[in-house]
Amino acid sequence: MPSTSADAPPPDVTGLDVRPFRALTYRDHDAAHLARVTSPAYDLVNAVGRDRLAAADPYNIVRLILPHVDPVGGQDSSRSARDRRSASAAAETLRSWSTSGVLVRDDVPAMWRYEMAGPGAEATTGWLGAVSLPAAGSSAVLPHEDTFAPAVAGRAALLAATDTDLEPIVLAHDPDPEVAELTRDSAGGPPTLEVADPDGVVHRLWRVTDPGTLARLTRALTRTRAVIADGHHRFAAARDHQAGDDAHGSVLALLTPMGAGGLRVRAIHRVVPDLPLESAVRAATAGFRTTELTPQDGDVDGTVRRWTLQDGPQTFLLSDGERVVELSAPSAAMLAAVPQEAPAAWRRLDVVLAHAALLGQLWQRPDDPASVLVAHDVTEALRLAEDRAGVALLLRSPSPADVAAVARAGARMPRKSTLFVPKPRTGLVLRPHQD
């Protein structure tokens, strides 16, 4: 299919090029139904969670983003072959749901005002739109994390088969007063979609079709640039897809402001399986001061959580779920393990020191998903450490400004370094590529 003008950014645009799109949504907008058919982003759903979501409703979106395919004897069992079979199954399911009316397509293009309000936190508000993939060398959209090639390939296979953005990436853009004004003024009336997720975050979306509002919004966003907050693998998959078919030069994204009204950042912790705490600490003494901490009232989880909220110099915690050991005062040799030619913003990150000095040098663990597991919260990290006879490496969160500085310096944090919250709910709005 030839390229369309909607996919090609104007030649004078150096910032974000964002367009309205004809969304695909569930016909039934009832909040209880949306709670049953939506899910977290695909990379936050483990095997048990996937089965639980699929059992909740025959039309749960997890059947598209994480399609289950039974092994077939005698067929190619390589990862790429499994990816293709899964993607084919998802495409068939998507066609079935669209044909039967489970999912319906909007008649007119729109952008969607998206508000996420959680307990005890300022609401995060942004816009869902189709963001043009910038040309090579552009700074309009900057990644900040490394990706894992097989994961990119899996998402690319799914995109190629379904020809649909099944869930948005998340971008944190430069603040702009006109964007903020339009966001404030577009919340009138009841939301088009509303659902509460299991974490107590209420997701409210308003479909905005007014041509004047959309023209002002898209024009204002061209003055901004963005950092990828979530969805590095999906962004890379979209680029791969574009390389094979120039007609699809854009990706569904939730655009949120950097700073007030935007996202918050949490650390993603590491777990090294089959590494006893005693062995981990013994190796760490070659480069760090080690201090055994006594959990208050035996509450390891609470002790670690309180530590993660404190500010301080480059310091880590190790735990096997029962004991807690603090690593501090990295030696000159440990600091030197971080490449000195790298940008200063990157060298200052705790997660970089953890990977270069502790994981890479002292523990000699390669950074791959089998050797170093990731955990999105303290409880998960401690449970994984116990289950896998290993050690949890617990980190403090970088700030959004730290993440932006790394991206704008052209550097990359290790894979899965940041968890931007709150997360959009997958399944509320899909974006087919065909007009």
Side-chain angles (χ1 to χ4, degrees):
M1 179 183 294
S3 298
T4 64
S5 59
D7 286 318
D12 59 340
V13 170
T14 57
L16 293 172
D17 179 55
V18 188
R19 309 294 177 91
F21 63 99
R22 291 174 55 219
L24 188 67
T25 63
Y26 284 96
R27 179 183 293 277
D28 186 352
H29 289 181
D30 177 72
H33 177 258
L34 292 177
R36 291 196 307 273
V37 297
T38 57
S39 83
Y42 83 97
D43 55 342
L44 298 179
V45 180
N46 60 25
V48 173
R50 190 266 174 212
D51 291 343
R52 184 175 63 251
L53 288 164
D57 193 282
Y59 302 114
N60 190 285
I61 194 68
V62 78
R63 297 175 184 271
L64 299 181
I65 61 172
L66 292 171
H68 176 73
V69 178
D70 291 326
V72 179
Q75 289 197 11
D76 185 356
S77 61
S78 67
R79 179 165 183 159
S80 61
R82 293 195 302 273
D83 286 343
R84 290 193 298 272
R85 292 200 299 273
S86 293
S88 178
E92 180 57 37
T93 300
L94 179 60
R95 282 191 292 271
S96 172
W97 292 0
S98 299
T99 301
S100 64
V102 173
L103 298 172
V104 294
R105 187 84 186 272
D106 282 355
D107 293 329
V108 297
M111 288 180 63
W112 294 71
R113 183 189 187 275
Y114 195 142
E115 177 187 282
M116 295 175 282
E122 178 186 10
T124 296
T125 308
W127 291 90
L128 280 174
V131 177
S132 296
L133 296 169
S138 169
S139 61
V141 178
L142 293 172
H144 74 271
E145 283 184 355
D146 288 331
T147 55
F148 184 58
V152 173
R155 292 299 103 183
L158 190 61
L159 179 57
T162 62
D163 208 25
T164 299
D165 292 327
L166 300 174
E167 50 188 333
I169 68 169
V170 183
L171 302 178
H173 65 79
D174 301 325
D176 181 90
E178 188 173 10
V179 173
E181 175 192 343
L182 291 165
T183 302
R184 285 194 303 270
D185 294 346
S186 299
T192 309
L193 304 172
E194 181 172 354
V195 66
D197 69 27
D199 294 325
V201 177
V202 178
H203 302 253
R204 298 184 180 94
L205 289 82
W206 288 259
R207 183 194 288 113
V208 178
T209 59
D210 176 66
T213 299
L214 295 178
R216 286 184 61 197
L217 181 61
T218 55
R219 186 169 57 247
L221 285 167
T222 64
R223 298 191 291 264
T224 72
R225 296 177 300 164
V227 172
I228 300 175
D230 190 50
H232 284 80
H233 292 90
R234 281 164 280 163
F235 182 76
R239 278 211 177 282
D240 286 354
H241 192 52
Q242 180 193 27
D245 184 348
D246 289 338
H248 304 317
S250 53
V251 63
L252 178 63
L254 172 61
L255 299 116
T256 63
M258 189 76 74
L263 303 166
R264 302 175 296 281
V265 185
R266 295 178 184 164
I268 299 180
H269 310 291
R270 273 55 180 152
V271 176
V272 181
D274 304 313
L275 177 63
L277 177 64
E278 199 63 47
S279 300
V281 172
R282 185 165 55 250
T285 58
F288 294 86
R289 178 187 304 139
T290 62
T291 306
E292 183 102 17
L293 303 183
T294 303
Q296 185 176 351
D297 299 323
D299 182 10
V300 173
D301 194 299
T303 297
V304 174
R305 286 184 185 279
R306 287 188 290 273
W307 175 88
T308 61
L309 298 176
Q310 300 170 4
D311 292 324
Q314 290 178 311
T315 306
F316 315 120
L317 288 189
L318 304 181
S319 179
D320 58 0
E322 296 182 359
R323 295 169 53 205
V324 181
V325 177
E326 183 181 67
L327 306 187
S328 60
S331 68
M334 293 296 95
L335 297 175
V338 177
Q340 299 304 296
E341 67 275 12
W346 185 81
R347 295 198 309 269
R348 289 194 297 266
L349 294 171
D350 288 3
V351 68
V352 168
L353 180 63
H355 272 260
L358 192 58
L359 288 163
Q361 192 168 112
L362 298 182
W363 291 347
Q364 297 186 345
R365 292 293 176 118
D367 183 21
D368 61 63
S371 303
V372 180
L373 313 179
V374 297
H376 292 85
D377 61 38
V378 168
T379 301
E380 182 188 10
L382 297 176
R383 178 186 58 76
L384 269 175
E386 289 187 88
D387 290 348
R388 298 297 299 273
V391 63
L393 169 58
L394 301 144
L395 304 168
R396 289 181 175 135
S397 305
S399 70
D402 290 337
V403 176
V406 169
R408 288 170 181 159
R412 299 285 183 274
M413 300 169 74
R415 65 179 180 90
K416 299 295 182 184
S417 290
T418 55
L419 178 65
F420 281 82
V421 294
K423 297 280 192 184
R425 194 75 176 159
T426 293
L428 292 173
V429 175
L430 287 64
R431 177 192 164 241
H433 289 181
Q434 299 293 335
D435 290 331

